[in-house]
Amino acid sequence: MSEPSLRKEALLASLTTRSLGRKLFLFEELDSTNACARTLADSGIEEGTVVIAEYQTSGRGRQGRIWMSERGKNLLLSIVFRPPPEAPMWQLPFLLSEGAARGVEHVIGTRVHTKWPNDLVLNGRKCAGILVEQSASEGAATAIAGIGINVNQSAFPEELAITATSLKIASGRSVDRLQLFQTVLASIESLYEAMIRGSGEILMKEWKQRCVTFGRKITIEHGNERLEGVALGLNEEGGLIVDLPGGPRTVYAGDVTITETR
Ligand code: BTN
């Protein structure tokens, strides 16, 4: 049976949020929801605006990669945030992955883990990724928060076959994308409001409890650099502290592979 297409009226009717997603743009096809949300943000669209696409021709992943997602099967969305200047912006990617994890968990009833920096992991495989792109003009920061969740995709291209999964593969059943959209947005909104109130430490505590990276032997790759060590924890800005042969070092970006348990 083919997946029902998302409809704007149904997406809006499902929402339980105060403002997140109340302004909504839905596209059958786009280059990238992050690119579209950035254009809207630059033209002054309000905070909380959400852009969704059923298919992206140039979906953006972290580290300049392409985010591939089968047409009409998954959840691909971007949110416009305009946090106040005093907000701890470094927490934003963590709150997005925590919010998405809570939403997924609610819908499929299975514990979801995170892998630094902000991947969602089910049964050791990546089921969702987060890409936050920030800009500041005249002191006001705007962040475009992109979320890609593999929902009902049943197979992946060869290069992703070993590392990727979907909620359908992990749970053994098709997942209602509308319900997922609603729970993910509700979770993100409440975490965002908590971050703005200055209660982000609770979020970070929960995020750390989900994280599968700490205490594990890892390799971390960033650009041409490849480090091997043991992931110790996070510093006060979300950087990953890694115990390397030459001593501890904090990294702020990269791809982590867990090589063995300690
Ligand atoms: C990653 O590499 O882990 C981050 C992937 C983020 C993909 C999402 S899909 C919706 C949004 N639009 C994009 O172009 N990218 C993000």
Side-chain angles (χ1 to χ4, degrees), residues 19-142:
S19 71
L20 211 61
R22 296 283 167 186
K23 182 123 200 162
L24 182 72
F25 295 85
L26 169 66
F27 296 89
E28 275 305 310
E29 184 172 314
L30 258 188
D31 51 354
S32 150
T33 57
N34 267 31
C36 177
R38 167 57 59 198
T39 305
L40 291 168
D42 289 347
S43 66
I45 201 101
E46 61 253 46
E47 182 175 49
T49 297
V50 168
V51 178
I52 306 188
E54 287 282 35
Y55 184 70
Q56 297 182 125
T57 53
S58 305
R60 298 180 189 166
R62 285 193 306 106
Q63 311 237 62
R65 281 187 298 257
I66 300 283
W67 182 259
M68 288 186 282
S69 174
E70 205 178 315
R71 187 183 293 273
K73 294 277 171 79
N74 301 318
L75 211 48
L76 306 168
L77 64 90
S78 300
I79 309 169
V80 176
F81 287 109
R82 297 184 198 284
E86 66 280 7
M89 288 294 277
W90 66 268
Q91 289 178 356
L92 195 57
F94 293 96
L95 86 78
L96 290 159
S97 54
E98 176 64 23
R102 287 184 191 182
V104 170
E105 227 164 59
H106 182 82
V107 172
I108 67 167
T110 305
R111 181 74 173 158
V112 179
H113 291 104
T114 49
K115 182 164 73 86
W116 190 91
N118 35 55
D119 292 348
L120 263 57
V121 175
L122 274 169
N123 303 329
R125 293 179 179 216
K126 178 166 172 170
C127 66
I130 309 287
L131 179 68
V132 177
E133 296 177 303
Q134 300 189 24
S135 78
S137 68
E138 291 163 12
T142 305

